[in-house]
Amino acid sequence: MTSTAASPVTRREPELTGQTVVLIGGSAGIGLETARRARSEGAEVVLAGRDPGRLARAAAEVGASRSAAFDATDSAALARFFEDLPGPIDHVLVTAGGPRYGPLLEMSADDVREALSDHVVLALEVARNAVGRMRPGGTLVFMGGTGGRRIGHGLGIASAATAALPPFTAALALELAPVRVNLIAPGFVDTPLSASLLGDRLDERRAELRATLPIGRVVGPEDVAALAVHLMTNTAVTGATYDIDGGQQFVS
């Protein structure tokens, strides 16, 4: 006789319950989408961003426990932000900043220094200020990219800046253990930043990627957010670089 009794439904427990996630660059794009996902996994979220109005809207949407508007490249403001946090934190995602493109010979010496050091210095300052407030096993998640790995006209300094981040991440992971440090390296992600960089070429680029990427669609901020939360919850991962570009680097 075949039983017709329904099988019990196993409910998955949220993976970030009781944890606090700080998102620097959390008012839009990948940062905001990660805040949404972290909240759905039970986390308290703290948002930081440069634009006060946009930040306030994002904080209200996700129910952030705290938010702060400041320029993350201002070392003093960054230090004050972490000093003012009321309790320990578990995870920090840094999406502030963006790539720099353009012919090398048109860049000044100061432009080159800034482009090469921008992400590394910001990541180091975040690590320096965050680590003393983080619980063991938490993670710092930084953002790099795959788009600059191939040398090409118009990429300029982006290739060198991209190449510096994986070894920096690995070295920092050794220094900060048991706090974990990982790097996400996206290709094109359909965010407001991408829209601002491409302007009226955005739809053309989307169509091109849908036609050529092995996954048959454009990578969105929710894809990167899912990876970011995975890195927060998988305590076996540190010092790693994770590409997420839908196979773009293999077909571009």
Side-chain angles (χ1 to χ4, degrees):
M1 181 179 292
T2 302
S3 172
T4 58
S7 300
V9 176
T10 302
R11 299 187 67 178
R12 185 179 68 83
E13 292 297 319
E15 294 189 277
L16 292 172
T17 300
Q19 299 185 38
T20 298
V21 178
V22 175
L23 301 119
I24 298 177
S27 62
I30 293 168
L32 178 55
E33 194 61 44
T34 303
R36 294 186 182 114
R37 193 173 187 98
R39 286 289 286 149
S40 74
E41 291 293 343
E44 293 293 323
V45 299
V46 177
L47 303 187
R50 219 170 3 186
D51 184 314
R54 188 168 64 184
L55 180 66
R57 291 189 294 272
E61 179 201 328
V62 300
S65 62
R66 192 178 184 89
S67 65
F70 64 95
D71 183 347
T73 62
D74 182 334
S75 296
L78 186 66
R80 284 194 300 272
F81 167 70
F82 281 102
E83 288 169 3
D84 290 343
L85 292 178
I89 59 177
D90 297 278
H91 310 287
V92 181
L93 172 68
V94 183
T95 59
R100 294 172 182 267
Y101 301 111
L104 287 169
L105 293 181
E106 293 180 10
M107 299 179 74
S108 69
D110 287 342
D111 289 338
V112 171
R113 290 189 191 98
E114 188 172 350
L116 287 174
S117 66
D118 193 24
H119 281 72
V120 169
V121 171
L122 175 57
L124 187 59
E125 287 298 298
V126 168
R128 194 191 319 275
N129 287 285
V131 68
R133 308 198 61 112
M134 295 181 71
R135 295 185 178 101
T139 188
L140 297 169
V141 183
F142 300 125
M143 203 65 55
T146 62
R149 290 181 184 171
R150 289 193 176 189
I151 308 301
H153 287 295
L155 292 178
I157 205 70
S159 298
T162 298
L165 289 169
F168 167 80
T169 298
L172 200 57
L174 291 179
E175 288 197 24
L176 297 186
V179 169
R180 298 177 294 113
V181 187
N182 292 294
L183 176 69
I184 294 175
F188 176 92
V189 182
D190 202 346
T191 64
L193 175 61
S194 297
S196 68
L197 290 172
L198 286 173
D200 58 10
R201 287 197 58 246
L202 178 62
D203 287 338
E204 176 189 341
R205 184 58 171 150
R206 286 169 173 160
E208 178 188 2
L209 290 168
R210 290 189 192 102
T212 58
L213 289 183
I215 63 172
R217 64 177 181 85
V218 179
V219 176
E222 64 279 2
D223 298 307
V224 186
L227 176 56
V229 170
H230 170 72
L231 294 177
M232 294 172 191
T233 60
N234 188 336
T235 58
V237 180
T238 193
T241 297
Y242 278 75
D243 292 357
I244 180 166
D245 66 353
Q248 180 183 342
Q249 61 187 303
F250 306 121
V251 297
S252 295

